[in-house]
Amino acid sequence: MDLIKTIEDLVRFKTETGNAEEIDKCLEYIKANFAGTDAVVKIERFTDASPVIYIANNDDMQQNALVLGHIDVVKAADEMFAPVIKDGKMYGRGTLDMKSFAAVAMNSMHYVLEHKLPVKFAVILSTDEEQGSKSTHAFLSRYPELNADVVLDNDVGGDIGEIINKCKNPVFVKLFAEGKQAHGSTPWDGLDANEMLMKTLANLRKDYPYFDINSGKPENTWIDTMHAAKIGGGEVSNIISGNAYALLDFRLTENSTVAGLEENLKKALMPGVRYEIVSVSTPVVMREDNPQILAYKALAEKVMGRGIKFVQIGGATDARLFAEKGATVIMHSGTGEGMHADGECVVLQSVEELAKIQIEYLKGLAQR
């Protein structure tokens, strides 16, 4: 398989989350890529979620290794779906997040099939990861017995010199404030929902400090954080607001609990304000002395000819769904920049290195 050409082909599909027509075209392209091979390829469709493509070299539900990824991307200008290679980098929407690494997984599958490696290997590519991964949940609900000893997660970071061993738990919370309307000239006759909401947010800041480019990065970033993703309230300028709301994004380390977050919410609430937990995830924490991860790390360092360090990130990963089942999750990606931005790009050398690392790792599994 021509890895670079496959990446270019994938980028050209305008698979913005929700663009069903382009997503279907991309899925059919991937399926056709395995025509004439012994691969088991299924495009699974759901009534209440977007499709998922599953590729495997076997019919079992317990895999030795599995790659989990996605082909959907965030919105971009049309020109970003015309990939450009310049100075060793490929520019375009999805080059870093994460069509390059979907192509790496396809390349690995071709190698396993062509060389008939005695390893049970599968690839899952979802189509709505950028908006909550409902399709991945639907797929695993349909196949609850599906699991793997090792899940290779390439949808993290952006530096091939790093292996992620910890991801935080994202918890989304909505605040609702109800006040009493009054004329803007007589605020003492009402209860300002906006004010109660802002005071609640100020109270929460006592437990979850504010950081930005001016305050700078804290020395220890493995802490709980909060940001206000959306705030609204009021109707017109001369009426005291009778209602307001805020959508909050909390990122909790493995040392914190949702129950602890709820205690902090309760003590922060001002009169007329209530909260609702919108969604909860699971932190993925892998020990640095995990034998599978150490074996992978040593192999990757040998391929690259340089060291790799362990780091932690605040983002979440769909691989948590397999970590909950006891799988070892190896979170390692290629190098790039501009994820979700106009200058999104990937360093092609890192993609080729990752492809070689993945194949060598699978060869190692086959020999055990």
Side-chain angles (χ1 to χ4, degrees):
M1 188 186 99
D2 187 329
L3 179 60
I4 304 304
K5 181 181 182 301
T6 301
I7 298 171
E8 291 177 312
D9 289 346
L10 291 175
V11 171
R12 289 190 179 96
F13 291 104
K14 196 175 181 181
T15 55
E16 296 167 328
T17 312
N19 188 345
E21 183 178 355
E22 283 292 297
I23 285 172
D24 279 344
K25 289 179 182 178
C26 188
L27 292 176
E28 291 298 335
Y29 167 86
I30 295 171
K31 183 178 180 179
N33 191 267
F34 291 93
T37 72
D38 293 329
V40 176
V41 184
K42 301 176 182 178
I43 297 177
E44 298 284 342
R45 300 186 182 278
F46 312 93
T47 57
D48 56 351
S50 60
V52 168
I53 189 165
Y54 176 77
I55 312 160
N57 71 332
N58 64 90
D59 292 315
D60 290 352
M61 287 289 103
Q62 179 64 43
Q63 305 295 331
N64 298 127
L66 182 151
V67 176
L68 183 64
H70 63 95
I71 60 165
D72 63 308
V73 299
V74 298
K75 289 187 178 297
D78 288 346
E79 55 266 26
M80 287 198 70
F81 294 94
V84 174
I85 296 177
K86 181 180 179 182
D87 299 328
K89 299 177 181 178
M90 184 185 295
Y91 292 82
R93 177 58 80 235
T95 49
L96 181 60
D97 186 17
M98 60 157 290
K99 288 180 175 178
S100 296
F101 312 123
V104 166
M106 293 166 62
N107 182 70
S108 295
M109 182 60 72
H110 275 289
Y111 187 94
V112 168
L113 292 165
E114 290 167 10
H115 292 81
K116 301 187 184 301
L117 290 188
V119 60
K120 292 186 289 184
F121 180 52
V123 176
I124 300 174
L125 297 174
S126 66
T127 57
D128 64 349
E129 189 273 346
E130 299 294 356
Q131 291 185 11
S133 301
K134 193 174 181 180
S135 62
T136 303
H137 287 270
F139 180 80
L140 292 179
S141 293
R142 182 172 289 179
Y143 299 101
E145 68 277 24
L146 180 63
N147 200 6
D149 299 327
V150 176
V151 173
L152 301 172
D153 182 1
N154 306 137
D155 188 27
V156 290
D159 186 340
I160 198 167
E162 299 174 346
I163 289 177
I164 311 299
N165 73 309
K166 290 184 180 181
C167 292
K168 293 182 182 178
N169 176 10
V171 182
F172 301 149
V173 176
K174 198 162 187 179
L175 297 180
F176 301 90
E178 294 184 10
K180 183 179 184 300
Q181 288 188 336
H183 194 277
S185 64
T186 57
W188 42 82
D189 290 335
L191 177 64
D192 193 334
N194 289 346
E195 195 71 25
M196 295 302 101
L197 181 65
M198 288 188 290
K199 287 182 177 180
T200 298
L201 292 174
N203 288 339
L204 284 169
R205 282 293 175 211
K206 298 171 186 176
D207 292 303
Y208 308 96
Y210 175 70
F211 298 100
D212 61 21
I213 57 174
N214 295 316
S215 65
K217 186 177 180 180
E219 183 176 346
N220 176 23
T221 60
W222 198 244
I223 56 174
D224 296 342
T225 61
M226 176 193 87
H227 89 269
K230 194 173 183 180
I231 299 176
E235 297 175 9
V236 295
S237 60
N238 63 346
I239 297 178
I240 300 297
S241 174
N243 56 77
Y245 72 92
L247 178 61
L248 308 181
D249 176 354
F250 292 88
R251 301 288 167 140
L252 307 182
T253 73
E254 78 279 12
N255 301 314
S256 299
T257 64
V258 176
L261 169 61
E262 291 199 72
E263 288 301 313
N264 290 337
L265 284 164
K266 289 172 184 176
K267 72 181 183 182
L269 297 178
M270 293 297 292
V273 183
R274 61 184 176 87
Y275 74 89
E276 175 186 315
I277 303 255
V278 178
S279 67
V280 176
S281 185
T282 304
V284 176
V285 179
M286 293 288 132
R287 291 173 56 95
E288 293 182 13
D289 61 356
N290 181 297
Q292 289 280 15
I293 295 176
L294 286 178
Y296 179 96
K297 181 174 182 288
L299 189 153
E301 289 174 334
K302 182 179 179 181
V303 169
M304 295 165 56
R306 56 191 186 277
I308 293 177
K309 62 182 180 179
F310 287 107
V311 299
Q312 300 80 43
I313 62 172
T317 170
D318 285 349
R320 68 186 182 276
L321 301 172
F322 287 96
E324 291 168 355
K325 297 181 177 186
T328 292
V329 178
I330 302 177
M331 297 173 276
H332 189 217
S333 184
T335 300
E337 59 188 8
M339 186 182 295
H340 294 186
D342 290 343
E344 182 176 358
C345 67
V346 71
V347 177
L348 292 177
Q349 179 183 339
S350 75
V351 177
E352 291 166 342
E353 287 178 331
L354 189 69
K356 186 173 182 181
I357 292 166
Q358 201 166 100
I359 286 173
E360 291 300 317
Y361 183 73
L362 292 168
K363 287 166 64 177
L365 286 181
Q367 293 168 3
R368 294 177 193 174

